[in-house]
Amino acid sequence: MRTNDAQMLVLCTLAEGPLHGYAVNTAIERLTGSRLGRGSLSGALVRLRDKELVEYLDVQGRQRPLQLTTAGRALLEREVRSVAEFAGRMFEATVPDRTAYQDRLAATDTVRSYKASMLGMLALGSGGTVLDLGCGPGIDLGPLAGAVGPYGRVLGIDHDGTAVDRARARTGHLPQVEVVLGDLHSLPLADGSVDGARTDRVLQHVEDPARALAEAYRVLRPGARLVMAEPDWESLSIDHPDLAVVRGYTRHLTDRIVRNGAIGRQLPRLAAAAGFTVPTVTPVPTVFRDLTAADQVLGLQRNTERAVTAGYLTAAQGRSLLDHLAHQPVFASVTLHITTAEVPTAA
């Protein structure tokens, strides 16, 4: 590791408060997957202290913790800002409105295709009751209403009041659709009262996926299906000459940004533990060759900035990643898995 990289890693680990030398290296290992060598760490600490970027506190037992000086914190903040300035106007800098983001994704060929596949996998009959768990702004409620017909019932549930309001406005012309504010961990429905349910990129965010699956199992009738589409963010790959840069970006995404980043691969096991049988799992790879399309889904600039702030990437690595994406052919891919789960029928 280059000396400047080692120094930046030390500064990043001290951003949240003082640490002693051993704890600094443990924090670096947690962020990057490897520790600094004894010489690299001691050399970085000496240089940072000589530059008055870190300072030692009073001895605590046998340990003497370090903290950032005012100059050290200012340098770290400048390095983070430099990544943002380097990106310029080529990347989307702010988090998009949730409804706009969902609508934008739904308009892509890949998402339209897998949503249609999910609807077919539900195998809904006319007049049935179907749940859209985590319905968001209601994009999928209309197709569900078409599947169950005028005498069926579609119930959308979401914990976000703004999303519920938008879903109600979107489906106000569909009398069989009802949208309620609710918690997937505690559904307002009787046991065995539902003929089918779906989730789409929702369980990656919930607090307790196992509990949400147990609730879905409770309200579904014997023989009913739950169809779930969830990404495995650890499958994210981005082309860059330095694999350590991409690994740092992905590790930050799964550690800090997405609550349940590997849920796509975990669903068959979690669904079986909830009592379901799992007849099919269908992978849906998405490949990005266009910078704008990749950025709109992956938030490349803002997530690179966050990764630098958190110490998963150095500022130089962040600039290198964004520069490569801006000026070289783009390749990125991630895999989503559609898992079909069924409630067993009585023997």
Side-chain angles (χ1 to χ4, degrees):
M1 174 172 288
R2 296 187 300 273
T3 300
N4 287 343
D5 287 347
Q7 292 175 42
M8 286 307 303
L9 284 172
V10 172
L11 292 178
C12 289
T13 62
L14 295 175
E16 296 183 3
L19 294 171
H20 59 82
Y22 179 81
V24 167
N25 219 355
T26 300
I28 289 172
E29 183 179 22
R30 186 169 62 248
L31 292 177
T32 67
S34 61
R35 301 171 71 86
L36 295 179
R38 184 184 298 273
S40 295
L41 178 60
S42 61
L45 293 177
V46 168
R47 290 177 177 85
L48 290 170
R49 185 181 57 186
D50 290 346
K51 296 174 185 176
E52 299 184 345
L53 299 176
V54 301
E55 60 188 0
Y56 283 98
L57 301 177
D58 293 337
V59 174
Q60 300 176 6
R62 295 185 177 181
Q63 299 171 349
R64 193 177 183 193
L66 293 138
Q67 70 176 7
L68 292 177
T69 63
T70 299
R73 189 170 295 278
L75 174 63
L76 185 59
E77 291 173 353
R78 286 197 302 273
E79 287 292 314
V80 172
R81 285 197 301 271
S82 74
V83 173
E85 292 167 0
F86 177 81
R89 296 184 178 181
M90 299 194 70
F91 299 91
E92 187 174 62
T94 59
V95 178
D97 171 79
R98 182 185 179 192
T99 297
Y101 179 76
Q102 296 290 345
D103 284 339
R104 189 165 66 192
L105 283 183
T108 65
D109 291 340
T110 298
V111 175
R112 277 200 303 263
S113 176
Y114 88 69
K115 283 180 179 290
S117 296
M118 289 180 70
L119 188 62
M121 292 172 185
L122 275 170
L124 297 169
S126 179
T129 296
V130 62
L131 294 180
D132 191 359
L133 300 170
C135 66
I139 293 168
D140 300 294
L141 297 177
L144 291 172
V148 299
Y151 301 106
R153 182 191 182 202
V154 177
L155 181 61
I157 299 176
D158 203 280
H159 76 287
D160 184 311
T162 300
V164 166
D165 290 341
R166 291 178 176 178
R168 287 171 176 166
R170 190 190 293 261
T171 60
H173 64 292
L174 297 171
Q176 67 271 56
V177 175
E178 179 184 3
V179 186
V180 300
L181 188 67
D183 182 359
L184 270 60
H185 302 89
S186 181
L187 298 174
L189 294 162
D191 295 0
S193 60
V194 176
D195 300 300
R198 72 186 295 280
T199 67
D200 188 353
R201 291 169 288 119
V202 171
L203 296 178
Q204 62 179 320
H205 302 302
V206 302
E207 180 179 349
D208 188 345
R211 184 177 166 195
L213 287 169
E215 271 294 276
Y217 183 85
R218 178 184 66 80
V219 302
L220 287 165
R221 63 168 176 76
R225 285 184 172 180
L226 169 64
V227 179
M228 303 166 283
E230 295 292 340
D232 182 344
W233 285 110
E234 290 193 355
S235 73
L236 174 63
S237 61
I238 301 172
D239 177 54
H240 185 274
D242 186 349
L243 293 179
V245 172
V246 176
R247 288 167 181 157
Y249 180 94
T250 300
R251 188 180 301 114
H252 173 258
L253 188 70
T254 56
D255 286 356
R256 299 288 188 94
I257 302 299
V258 183
R259 175 178 276 171
N260 306 306
I263 190 69
R265 77 180 73 167
Q266 296 166 342
L267 277 179
R269 169 174 52 83
L270 294 175
F276 291 97
T277 61
V278 182
T280 63
V281 179
T282 304
V284 181
T286 300
V287 174
F288 301 98
R289 301 290 303 279
D290 176 77
L291 177 60
T292 299
D295 187 39
Q296 287 179 341
V297 174
L298 302 175
L300 293 166
Q301 177 186 342
R302 59 181 179 273
N303 285 324
T304 297
E305 292 172 9
R306 292 169 178 170
V308 171
T309 300
Y312 286 74
L313 297 174
T314 66
Q317 287 175 322
R319 286 193 297 270
S320 174
L321 176 59
L322 295 177
D323 181 50
H324 182 83
L325 290 167
H327 298 103
Q328 298 297 325
V330 172
F331 179 92
S333 68
V334 65
T335 300
L336 174 139
H337 299 279
I338 302 176
T339 300
T340 301
E342 293 182 352
V343 179
T345 56

